[in-house]
Structure formats: C-alpha cells, structure tokens
Amino acid sequence: QLQLVESGGGLVQPGGSLRLSCAASGFRLDYYRIGWFRQAPGKDREGVSCISSSGESTDYADSVKGRFTISRDNAKNTVYLQMNSLKPEDTAVYYCAAVRFPLCRPSSLLGSWGQGTQVTVSS
C-alpha cells in the first residue's frame, strides 16, 4: 500500500539529462501529493521536489531549482522528474513516495520507501 516503483536512472556525463518515472500499482496516484527524494553515499535522504495531487503546486530544493522539473500524468498513474544540466553532486539513489502536506522532506512520508533508481553523473 502506498508504495511506488521508480525507473529511468542510469549513468550520464555532467551536463546530461535523465527523466525518472514513478509508477503506482494497486492504488490511485491522483489522490496523493508525491515527492522525489535522493540519498547519496554516506549522506541522509533529502527532499528534491514535490507535486500536489492536482499538479498545480510544486516545490524544489534550492540545489535543483532551474535544472529539475517535476510533473505528473494522472491518467497514466505516473509522476516524472526531468533532470537537466546534471552535476556529479546529483549522484544518488532516487526515490519517490506519497507525502503529506505541507513539507517536502523524508519525515513527511506516507506509506513506505521502494527500491529507488540509481543516478550516476560522471565523466
């Protein structure tokens, strides 16, 4: 329940782009505010971006503003994270999850964490 599956990660060069997908199975995603989070080696999990159930409101961490874009397609039961101008410091395992309003941080989690998808930015 309230668990999602992430995909789309991979190895890219600095300055490259990736689009991550977050797909829900077994429940209606459009009822929930969804967030993307990441955890780099040796660091705590941190909030990256969140989007309201309707898609009208979004939040971004300062470190990704202007480079990442969160969106959702409720008809496909999917949330996306478009990542452009990637930097080595973006390297992490990325997770998506349902989150409660109004904050966009790991402590706002509803449900549970999935497996995540690895993003590696390196030359």
Side-chain angles (χ1 to χ4, degrees), residues 97-119:
V99 293
R100 64 178 182 269
F101 182 85
L103 302 178
C104 185
R105 62 190 188 187
S107 61
S108 300
L109 175 71
L110 295 172
S112 60
W113 301 112
Q115 296 297 308
T117 185
Q118 177 72 50
V119 172

Side-chain angles (χ1 to χ4, degrees), residues 51-123:
I51 187 167
S52 64
S53 59
S54 67
E56 295 179 354
S57 179
T58 58
D59 297 284
Y60 296 93
D62 289 341
S63 60
V64 306
K65 285 182 179 177
R67 300 188 298 119
F68 291 10
T69 303
I70 191 170
S71 63
R72 66 191 303 159
D73 186 340
N74 286 336
K76 295 182 178 179
N77 226 28
T78 303
V79 173
Y80 304 97
L81 184 68
Q82 178 67 46
M83 305 185 296
N84 299 326
S85 302
L86 284 162
K87 305 174 181 179
E89 50 263 47
D90 295 317
T91 296
V93 178
Y94 283 71
Y95 304 86
C96 65
V99 293
R100 64 178 182 269
F101 182 85
L103 302 178
C104 185
R105 62 190 188 187
S107 61
S108 300
L109 175 71
L110 295 172
S112 60
W113 301 112
Q115 296 297 308
T117 185
Q118 177 72 50
V119 172
T120 302
V121 185
S122 176
S123 298

Side-chain angles (χ1 to χ4, degrees), residues 6-10 18-21 117-119:
E6 304 91 343
S7 63
L18 283 173
R19 188 177 74 158
L20 306 184
S21 297
T117 185
Q118 177 72 50
V119 172

